[in-house]
Amino acid sequence: MPEPVTPVTFPPAFLWGAATSAYQIEGAVREDGRTPSIWDTFSHTPGRTAGGEHGDIAVDHYHRYRDDVALMADLGLTAYRFSVSWSRVQPTGRGPAVQVGLDFYRRLVDELLAVGIKPALTLYHWDLPQELEDAGGWPERDTAYRFAEYAQIVGEALGDRVEQWITLNEPWCSAFLGYGSGVHAPGRTDAAASLKAAHHLNLAHGLATSALRSAIPARNSIAVSLNSSVVRPASQSPADLAAARKIDDLANGVFHGPMLHGSYPQSLFDATRSITDWSYVLDNDLTLIHQPLDALGLNYYTPTLVEAAESSGPAPRADGHGASAYSPWPGADDVAFLQTPGERTEMGWTIDPTGLYDLITRYTREAPGLPLYVTENGAAYDDKPDPEGRVHDPERIAYLHGHLSAVRRAIADGADVRGYYLWSLMDNFEWAYGYEKRFGAVYVDYATLARTPKSSARWYGEAARTGVLPTPSEA
């Protein structure tokens, strides 16, 4: 007789959420005073996105948000993480807010609260106002100060109703994919600029945290969401261990060093000395960056496997971050990125829940006492409706079961994880991949924009309602 399966049960207060970002879902890019962001410009530049696709309409959440919130409530979600479009609120990145832009987010938050869903607001998910990029973008120090002013505006408008605040989403992508490899907006390919951008994103986070403290009630929580990499060496040789340390500095230490510990790794400075002298790190910057946080968001999809590169020829770069002749890893030309073994998603990313467990337990050690949230985790699959219009996605259910089980194991081992946000609520504009990669738990017919919950959405909703993971076969 088979052994009974012990149910995977979560704490009663655990938040079951889904996540989106403004440019990927809102559309309405020219309505109510909104002006272009760097992603509007990038996606309308020939050759930058798959099929020349863009977010002009996206999935039209700007006009359909009430239906989308009702759908979340029907699924049983208890939290929703969304981002604010900076250029919808403050079109030039400077000056007073456009109240009609803020009103959209006021209505969205009120709708969420009315059905018992906790809003989690991300201030920046990669959509810098184009006018600020024209003035130099994130490599310019002034952008950090403009961001703090924007944070103050949004905090004053919504701080009475939103308890969970996130300053930046995945600043690594903003800095190194946007200014290093150029596969993300604004599409620049300058290694020195990418490191300057990283520092000024850190500064923006610190300044915005301070601005929010003055604008929102003390009961509210301020966090940042990092896509920290789980970097694994191909072997335990000294050369491979050194390669892993270098990439860990560039993926993780460059952000969590200043934010959590008030310093950059010296080894990061040593590795990038030929690219920059870091003279833009001014006196008192690290104090400004190192602000107390109330929580930390962790985004995870797949681990990173590296080894020391051969001395001749270009190093392999199967890092999962898109194709470019330019590397997003400044100073790391001597490191080879290898494809990790195992089953993969449509993004080509290996499915490995142990990486999420390792990430959570690492940050339990890095930041003892700081509550953690998994602010993004999910998978893209080639989902299609069946003849009856149903969308069955057993691969995603298995993915979610494995990764949520890893979260629960980390909690059992002492990690203070308080919530999980599935990426994503619904299919949407997947950046440079256009609309060809479907991450959603809800299927979107891009011709009609009709929403259809996939079987994974129902499975996840059952977990949210009961606090217990259904078996993958219970979809």
Side-chain angles (χ1 to χ4, degrees):
M1 188 176 215
E3 290 290 322
V5 176
T6 303
V8 181
T9 305
F10 282 76
F14 191 82
L15 290 179
W16 297 86
T20 63
S21 85
Y23 188 73
Q24 292 179 275
I25 67 167
E26 284 183 2
V29 297
R30 298 175 189 88
E31 292 188 33
D32 296 333
R34 184 189 179 278
T35 57
S37 75
I38 55 175
W39 269 98
D40 293 279
T41 302
F42 185 86
S43 63
H44 280 274
T45 302
R48 292 296 200 178
T49 65
E53 292 170 334
H54 48 70
D56 286 10
I57 298 173
V59 296
D60 196 32
H61 175 72
Y62 190 76
H63 299 112
R64 299 167 187 249
Y65 71 94
R66 288 189 176 90
D67 291 341
D68 291 338
V69 172
L71 181 55
M72 292 181 229
D74 180 64
L75 293 174
L77 301 187
T78 58
Y80 174 53
R81 178 180 170 229
F82 64 95
S83 77
V84 172
S85 166
W86 188 347
S87 62
R88 192 180 294 287
V89 166
Q90 198 186 26
T92 66
R94 295 181 176 84
V98 172
Q99 289 303 316
V100 70
L102 280 172
D103 285 345
F104 168 71
Y105 298 104
R106 291 185 177 107
R107 294 192 302 270
L108 172 61
V109 167
D110 288 347
E111 201 79 14
L112 292 164
L113 294 175
V115 295
I117 295 175
K118 291 188 175 182
L121 187 156
T122 302
L123 285 167
Y124 187 73
H125 199 129
W126 308 350
D127 47 359
L128 185 71
Q130 183 61 44
E131 287 201 24
L132 291 184
E133 173 59 25
D134 293 343
W138 286 112
E140 289 299 317
R141 185 179 183 87
D142 184 64
T143 306
Y145 289 91
R146 302 289 71 76
F147 182 69
E149 292 176 1
Y150 157 67
Q152 180 97 19
I153 288 169
V154 181
E156 289 174 351
L158 294 168
D160 61 332
R161 283 164 285 181
V162 176
E163 294 183 1
Q164 290 191 304
W165 292 76
I166 294 165
T167 55
L168 305 174
N169 179 76
E170 298 186 355
W172 186 89
C173 295
S174 298
F176 296 107
L177 300 183
Y179 294 91
S181 66
V183 299
H184 277 193
R188 288 161 63 179
T189 52
D190 182 335
S194 71
L195 291 165
K196 287 184 73 176
H199 177 65
H200 294 141
L201 283 155
N202 283 329
L203 182 61
H205 158 75
L207 294 171
T209 300
S210 296
L212 286 174
R213 294 276 179 224
S214 70
I216 66 177
R219 69 176 183 273
N220 292 351
S221 168
I222 301 174
V224 65
S225 286
L226 302 178
N227 59 320
S228 298
S229 294
V230 178
V231 184
R232 294 170 173 168
S235 77
Q236 293 300 301
S237 72
D240 287 356
L241 291 171
R245 171 61 187 271
K246 179 178 284 190
I247 298 307
D248 189 73
D249 284 345
L250 285 166
N252 304 325
V254 66
F255 295 109
H256 78 223
M259 290 181 182
L260 300 181
H261 307 306
S263 63
Y264 284 103
Q266 182 59 46
S267 48
L268 172 67
F269 291 160
D270 294 342
T272 56
R273 188 178 293 119
S274 65
I275 298 169
T276 180
D277 61 6
W278 292 87
S279 58
Y280 41 84
V281 181
L282 305 185
D283 293 345
N284 204 43
D285 274 8
L286 292 169
T287 301
L288 293 173
I289 295 166
H290 185 212
Q291 297 298 313
L293 290 175
D294 302 302
L296 178 65
L298 299 175
N299 297 358
Y300 171 80
Y301 292 94
T302 192
T304 299
L305 183 65
V306 300
E307 68 180 5
E310 298 290 338
S311 57
S312 61
R317 202 170 74 236
D319 61 3
H321 292 301
S324 171
Y326 299 88
S327 174
W329 305 100
D333 292 341
D334 56 348
V335 176
F337 291 79
L338 308 178
Q339 178 66 262
T340 51
E343 185 182 352
R344 300 186 182 100
T345 70
E346 281 292 305
M347 295 293 289
W349 297 343
T350 303
I351 302 166
D352 188 346
T354 68
L356 181 55
Y357 174 87
D358 290 349
L359 186 66
I360 291 168
T361 53
R362 174 184 182 166
Y363 279 93
T364 298
R365 297 188 301 270
E366 285 277 355
L370 191 64
L372 305 176
Y373 291 85
V374 178
T375 41
E376 282 187 30
N377 177 239
Y381 290 104
D382 186 20
D383 306 310
K384 292 183 173 66
D386 67 15
E388 287 74 41
R390 298 169 301 192
V391 184
H392 189 44
D393 54 343
E395 302 91 347
R396 184 174 287 102
I397 292 172
Y399 181 101
L400 294 175
H401 188 276
H403 285 79
L404 281 161
S405 296
V407 173
R408 186 62 185 89
R409 182 162 70 95
I411 293 172
D413 290 345
D416 184 9
V417 186
R418 298 190 182 182
Y420 175 95
Y421 291 86
L422 165 66
W423 187 270
S424 176
L425 172 66
M426 54 192 162
D427 297 333
N428 54 49
F429 176 75
E430 186 49 40
W431 307 115
Y433 294 97
Y435 293 94
E436 67 180 28
K437 306 295 185 185
R438 292 182 178 269
F439 274 90
V442 174
Y443 181 87
V444 177
D445 180 332
Y446 292 126
T448 66
L449 298 179
R451 277 83 154 135
T452 302
K454 304 173 188 177
S455 53
S456 62
R458 300 301 182 192
W459 181 93
Y460 186 66
E462 180 66 16
R465 279 186 288 271
T466 64
V468 179
L469 295 189
T471 64
S473 62
E474 292 181 69

